[in-house]
Amino acid sequence: MVAAVLAVLLCAALVLVAILARRVRRFERRLDGITRSAEGWSLEAILEGHLDRVLAVDREVDQLAARTAILEAAGKRAFQRAALVRFNPFEETGGNQSFALALLDAEGDGFIINSLHARSGTRVYARTLTGGRAEGQLSSEEAEALRLARAAPAGRPAVADRPDQSAGRGA
């Protein structure tokens, strides 16, 4: 008698498993229909493809961040501020053909190049700048070039022409 009850229960369980298996297959077909792309790809394949792309983009972002850090460090050492002051230091020459050129990086390091033009020739001098300070006394034109370079926006050179000092002299 116990065996008969167990047999009936087993048959009922098998029928129930068959009904559940059929319902699961129908549900899988409906889910497949909903989650397949027009090209026939499954949602799982689409998500795997997107995940692969996200990981590739993540690696590229890491590489770009490293390159950006290198470029930012190099950019601080590049000349960012420049100013040119043209002037005429001697009576015998005409026009503002002499100049003082200040070139500064982000830290205020750089150079001042000074060119003095006369009829007999042109002389060029250079001074180093460390932290925006020169190693010696600056001429008024060099000081003005340094002041203008410090005040100039990065990447935009400043230019100043001093009035020709020889124009009002003589006669």
Side-chain angles (χ1 to χ4, degrees), residues 78-91:
F79 292 132
Q80 298 177 9
R81 291 180 168 47
L84 177 72
V85 175
R86 296 180 347 149
F87 61 96
N88 183 11
F90 306 114
E91 287 185 30

Side-chain angles (χ1 to χ4, degrees), residues 1-169:
M1 172 125 153
V2 174
V5 172
L6 284 176
V8 169
L9 286 175
L10 181 62
C11 286
L14 288 175
V15 169
L16 188 58
V17 166
I19 291 171
L20 289 175
R22 186 172 167 219
R23 288 179 102 183
V24 166
R25 278 193 304 272
R26 228 182 344 184
F27 178 71
E28 284 177 342
R29 277 194 303 259
R30 285 179 59 201
L31 186 60
D32 249 9
I34 292 172
T35 59
R36 289 225 178 255
S37 70
E39 295 83 25
W41 294 19
S42 70
L43 181 60
E44 183 180 358
I46 291 170
L47 290 175
E48 284 177 8
H50 284 301
L51 182 60
D52 289 343
R53 276 191 253 158
V54 166
L55 293 174
V57 167
D58 186 45
R59 284 189 298 273
E60 283 184 46
V61 166
D62 288 344
Q63 291 170 351
L64 287 173
R67 289 174 53 196
T68 300
I70 291 168
L71 289 173
E72 284 178 351
K76 288 181 180 179
R77 300 306 305 161
F79 292 132
Q80 298 177 9
R81 291 180 168 47
L84 177 72
V85 175
R86 296 180 347 149
F87 61 96
N88 183 11
F90 306 114
E91 287 185 30
E92 74 269 5
T93 60
N96 288 344
Q97 296 179 8
S98 296
F99 65 87
L101 173 66
L103 301 169
L104 301 172
D105 67 6
E107 306 295 325
D109 296 341
F111 307 98
I112 294 181
I113 300 170
N114 194 352
S115 169
L116 297 175
H117 177 73
R119 287 185 189 208
S120 61
T122 300
R123 295 179 186 258
V124 178
Y125 304 94
R127 293 181 189 265
T128 59
L129 298 169
T130 305
R133 295 183 170 238
E135 57 194 28
Q137 184 69 28
L138 296 176
S139 69
S140 62
E141 294 83 11
E142 291 171 326
E144 183 179 355
L146 180 57
R147 181 186 59 76
L148 288 172
R150 284 181 183 151
R156 308 278 317 209
V159 178
D161 274 330
R162 284 197 163 178
D164 191 350
Q165 297 170 352
S166 67
R169 297 182 192 159

